[in-house]
Amino acid sequence: MSGTPAPSRAAESFSPSPSWKLRSFLLALFLLLTARSTVADEHNHSYKDGEQVVVWANGIGPYHNRQETYDYFQLPFCQGDEKVDHRHESLGEALLGVNLVNTGMAIAFKKSVKNAKMCDVVLDTFQIEAFRRAVELDYWYQFYIDDLPVYGFVGDKKDNDLQLFTHKDIVVKFNNDQIIEVTIENRNATALNASNAKSKISFTYSVEWKKSDGSFKSRHKNYITFFEHKIHWFSIFNSFMMVLFLIGLVIVILLRTLKRDLARYDREEALLDLDKELGEEYGWKQVHGDVFRAPMHLTFLSATLGTGLQLSILTFFVILYSISADIEVENSQTLSASLFLYAVTSIIAGYYSGSFYTKYGGKSWVRLIFVTAGLFPTVLFGIVIGVNFIAIAKNSTRAIPFTSMLAVLAIWTFCVFPLSLVGVILGRNWAGTPGFPCRINPIPRPIPHLQWYAQPKVIVLLGGLLPFASIFIEMYYIFMSFWEFKSYYVYGFLMLVFLILVVVTACVSVVSTYFLLNSENHRWNWTAFLASGSTAGYVFLYAVYYFFSRSKMYGVFQTIWYFGYTSLGCLALFSMLGFVGHYAAEKFIRTIYRNLKID
């Protein structure tokens, strides 16, 4: 049986891109990535004839629960005699639970072997039962050879018999001194039953080397089968055209409506005072003295907006880095880049939150600093620690080492918090001038009875529908990539979808804010934020649907892992889109009231 699953993103390696200028800039930005993150400890991917090629085992686990992985030798496999003295592990790999173990196979570059014995093992009844359970649950293993992933199943279910594969046929294709492609096939099925207890089982392997004309730069494309369907490209194009049409429609309607409102207000200004009193005054002009009033929970809103801006910048540059890499980037590299960039951009989060907090008259600066620096990390640590306890209880390799958690805590203590502090101070002193185009009335204007469609709850509930519709198609592929180890490489389309999402969210926020103000409700801050962020709620509902309808995941560990980290991703999306919507609404409000003639 061959390894049928598609390779995971964590399994891919990084190779040079022809876009040297862009790569140089991004590599300077992501200093953590300059220290090479290798998953198999090969440095330059060039070998001499006869040089050792290490075969690493990354884990083993149920096929349908891809994140439920255990140590390869937790099953009673025997380990060969071949050893390697060096092995690297980056912080990103440690956080992802990459746990490489040398299988001990003696493989030399360009040296084919036939039916080589790796080791012998005598299985007792307990060990046979462990193998039987693994085969029954469709356990699969993951090997890395020169950073290339190979997959296979532990055994096979034939009729009512459970069988263990004891031989591996490895085919390695090479071009000059570099490995281009690796495949593996399992055979020699041995029945797993009580009669085999105390009998010797030999684990063997064969290695065949074949010449190839393939390029080292494009070797990972041999593993990409995920997006080779025209329906995907058609769906992306169709979604893009639909969104462009909707954005254009929203802009035209909004401009015409605003133009009519401004013309009506100008006519009212030309009337006599008596005519004004007899006339019917209504609309967003009536709340000009309250629209710039400080929102409730100012500290929390300021910190959340700063975090949303920070995460938006992080997402943009991580996608840009993946595009510049010209191949699929490892999960560990992406995580290292994200961790570094999050720390660096903490000053931006502090700057925006400090600026917004000052404009609206905030005074509790110490609380703002701690909330800005610790809001998202606290939620992240809470979810990670909770999931990690389950992983430790299950003895899974996904458990994050305590030392890695201390390293992340040190990054927050010595980088994130100080930069957030500096950012808040700079935002307070450099960009804290309100500059509101209207004076704020001393007494708040009462909010009249609102129509059902102008209720804040309705606006929040409906505000995320259109942005979610613009990313709905791509969500399937993103979920497949994250949870089923499918290769995702169309980062150009991902950037396009991300930008479409930002533009649609901004347009929807502007329209929602207009309806709210036109109903003479001046409490727009939280409504604009929540209406834009509600897209994350629809994404979470899709995640629930995907888990129960599209995936075959099961078990307590996989369920907690899935919903824990999905919730974290939705929270980050909520902050990002909330910031985008609020920023667009604020710019819109400042623009319309700046152009309004007010006594």
Side-chain angles (χ1 to χ4, degrees):
M1 178 181 287
S2 61
T4 56
S8 71
R9 296 177 62 194
E12 306 291 344
S13 66
F14 183 72
S15 66
S17 167
S19 306
W20 288 106
K21 292 183 179 180
L22 182 59
R23 286 289 309 284
S24 299
F25 168 75
L26 292 175
L27 288 178
L29 185 62
F30 302 139
L31 294 178
L32 288 182
L33 296 181
T34 57
R36 182 171 174 78
S37 172
T38 58
V39 295
D41 205 25
E42 287 77 9
H43 297 284
N44 55 14
H45 301 285
S46 296
Y47 298 89
K48 298 178 181 178
D49 291 358
E51 186 177 352
Q52 180 189 14
V53 178
V54 184
V55 180
W56 298 94
N58 183 39
I60 196 169
Y63 176 70
H64 296 296
N65 286 358
R66 309 297 176 88
Q67 284 69 40
E68 185 181 345
T69 57
Y70 305 97
D71 187 89
Y72 179 75
F73 290 104
Q74 189 167 318
L75 287 177
F77 289 110
C78 59
Q79 188 173 7
D81 298 328
E82 195 71 20
K83 302 296 180 182
V84 64
D85 297 328
H86 55 283
R87 176 174 177 267
H88 299 290
E89 184 180 85
S90 69
L91 178 60
E93 291 169 356
L95 294 176
L96 286 174
V98 176
N99 186 28
L100 301 177
V101 179
N102 185 16
T103 61
M105 292 186 187
I107 297 181
F109 189 69
K110 294 185 182 180
K111 302 295 182 182
S112 297
V113 295
K114 190 75 172 177
N115 296 327
K117 180 181 291 188
M118 186 167 63
C119 50
D120 295 324
V121 62
V122 177
L123 301 178
D124 56 27
T125 305
F126 177 80
Q127 292 172 325
I128 289 179
E129 185 60 30
F131 272 125
R132 286 180 60 87
R133 184 175 182 276
V135 175
E136 191 171 4
L137 294 178
D138 295 321
Y139 268 48
W140 68 321
Y141 60 83
Q142 185 182 53
F143 285 176
Y144 291 121
I145 300 177
D146 191 50
D147 283 0
L148 292 176
V150 287
Y151 303 83
F153 287 93
V154 172
D156 190 18
K157 291 180 283 189
K158 193 173 183 179
D159 297 330
N160 292 326
D161 288 337
L162 301 178
Q163 300 176 331
L164 173 68
F165 292 125
T166 60
H167 182 85
K168 294 178 174 59
D169 284 322
I170 302 174
V171 179
V172 185
K173 296 182 180 181
F174 66 94
N175 189 349
N176 295 326
D177 60 348
Q178 293 178 316
I179 295 177
I180 305 301
E181 184 179 355
V182 181
T183 58
I184 191 169
E185 184 175 348
N186 301 286
R187 57 184 177 88
N188 287 6
T190 300
L192 292 169
N193 48 55
S195 61
N196 287 337
K198 303 303 181 182
S199 59
K200 183 174 69 173
I201 297 178
S202 297
F203 287 90
T204 58
Y205 65 95
S206 298
V207 181
E208 182 181 1
W209 293 84
K210 295 182 178 180
K211 288 185 178 181
S212 173
D213 296 330
S215 170
F216 179 82
K217 289 183 178 181
S218 60
R219 65 176 186 163
H220 291 282
K221 294 182 180 179
N222 298 325
Y223 295 86
I224 294 172
T225 59
F226 186 37
F227 294 98
E228 294 180 359
H229 301 287
K230 293 183 179 180
I231 185 63
H232 175 72
W233 306 102
F234 174 77
S235 299
I236 290 292
F237 178 77
N238 185 57
S239 176
F240 178 63
M241 297 303 296
M242 176 193 70
V243 169
L244 287 181
F245 172 76
L246 291 175
I247 292 174
L249 185 62
V250 167
I251 292 175
V252 170
I253 293 175
L254 195 58
L255 290 179
R256 292 186 62 183
T257 303
L258 281 176
K259 185 177 180 181
R260 185 176 65 249
D261 288 343
L262 290 172
R264 177 167 59 87
Y265 291 143
D266 289 340
R267 288 195 303 269
E268 290 177 357
E269 290 295 330
L271 297 176
L272 298 175
D273 293 339
L274 179 60
D275 295 330
K276 290 182 181 180
E277 293 177 2
L278 293 176
E280 183 182 0
E281 295 186 359
Y282 65 92
W284 50 269
K285 179 184 177 182
Q286 308 309 312
V287 296
H288 68 271
D290 299 278
V291 72
F292 295 106
R293 192 177 301 279
M296 296 183 296
H297 310 294
L298 178 60
T299 302
F300 184 72
L301 179 60
S302 301
T304 308
L305 290 174
T307 301
L309 172 60
Q310 179 185 12
L311 295 177
S312 299
I313 295 174
L314 185 150
T315 302
F316 177 82
F317 277 103
V318 168
I319 297 175
L320 187 63
Y321 175 80
S322 301
I323 294 173
S324 70
D326 202 31
I327 60 169
E328 188 180 359
V329 183
E330 298 174 20
N331 276 344
S332 59
Q333 288 181 333
T334 303
L335 183 58
S336 297
S338 302
L339 186 62
F340 170 73
L341 189 57
Y342 180 84
V344 171
T345 54
S346 296
I347 191 172
I348 299 177
Y351 183 88
Y352 191 86
S353 63
S355 171
F356 185 84
Y357 192 69
T358 306
K359 290 176 182 177
Y360 286 93
K363 302 297 182 183
S364 302
W365 295 103
V366 175
R367 182 170 61 180
L368 175 68
I369 293 170
F370 277 96
V371 174
T372 301
L375 179 63
F376 185 74
T378 299
V379 177
L380 186 148
F381 276 122
I383 293 176
V384 170
I385 290 175
V387 174
N388 210 50
F389 276 132
I390 304 297
I392 293 173
K394 289 285 188 176
N395 199 24
S396 172
T397 59
R398 291 290 180 174
I400 301 174
F402 181 69
T403 54
S404 299
M405 287 192 171
L406 289 180
V408 175
L409 182 61
I411 292 174
W412 182 88
T413 304
F414 298 107
C415 188
V416 174
F417 182 78
L419 288 177
S420 298
L421 171 62
V422 173
V424 170
I425 294 175
L426 294 178
R428 173 187 178 182
N429 295 318
W430 289 3
T433 304
F436 299 141
C438 304
R439 294 189 304 270
I440 301 175
N441 294 334
I443 301 176
R445 178 187 176 90
I447 299 175
H449 176 72
L450 302 175
Q451 297 292 332
W452 68 269
Y453 56 82
Q455 294 284 345
K457 293 181 180 179
V458 176
I459 293 176
V460 169
L461 184 63
L462 300 179
L465 280 176
L466 187 58
F468 176 73
S470 67
I471 63 171
F472 172 76
I473 297 173
E474 199 67 17
M475 288 305 304
Y476 170 76
Y477 297 97
I478 293 174
F479 271 69
M480 287 283 286
S481 175
F482 269 97
W483 300 113
E484 298 193 24
F485 284 5
K486 300 294 185 179
S487 298
Y488 192 99
Y489 73 97
V490 285
Y491 294 104
F493 277 106
L494 184 61
M495 176 65 80
L496 178 63
V497 171
F498 175 71
L499 296 178
I500 288 174
L501 177 62
V502 169
V503 173
V504 173
T505 300
C507 290
V508 171
S509 177
V510 168
V511 174
S512 302
T513 304
Y514 173 78
F515 278 118
L516 193 71
L517 296 180
N518 213 39
S519 301
E520 301 181 17
N521 185 349
H522 55 81
R523 297 173 183 172
W524 64 271
N525 282 277
W526 278 108
T527 302
F529 182 86
L530 296 175
S532 303
S534 64
T535 304
Y538 291 102
V539 172
F540 186 80
L541 291 177
Y542 176 82
V544 175
Y545 162 78
Y546 181 88
F547 182 85
F548 290 104
S549 300
R550 305 304 297 266
S551 75
K552 297 181 180 179
M553 303 177 192
Y554 61 90
V556 175
F557 173 78
Q558 182 68 27
T559 302
I560 294 177
W561 181 280
Y562 177 88
F563 284 106
Y565 284 107
T566 298
S567 301
L568 184 61
C570 290
L571 178 64
L573 182 65
F574 174 78
S575 299
M576 291 165 50
L577 298 183
F579 162 77
V580 170
H582 186 278
Y583 183 82
E586 184 179 25
K587 291 297 181 183
F588 168 72
I589 289 174
R590 285 178 177 267
T591 301
I592 63 175
Y593 282 99
R594 187 177 294 115
N595 295 325
L596 186 65
K597 297 178 182 179
I598 300 175
D599 295 333

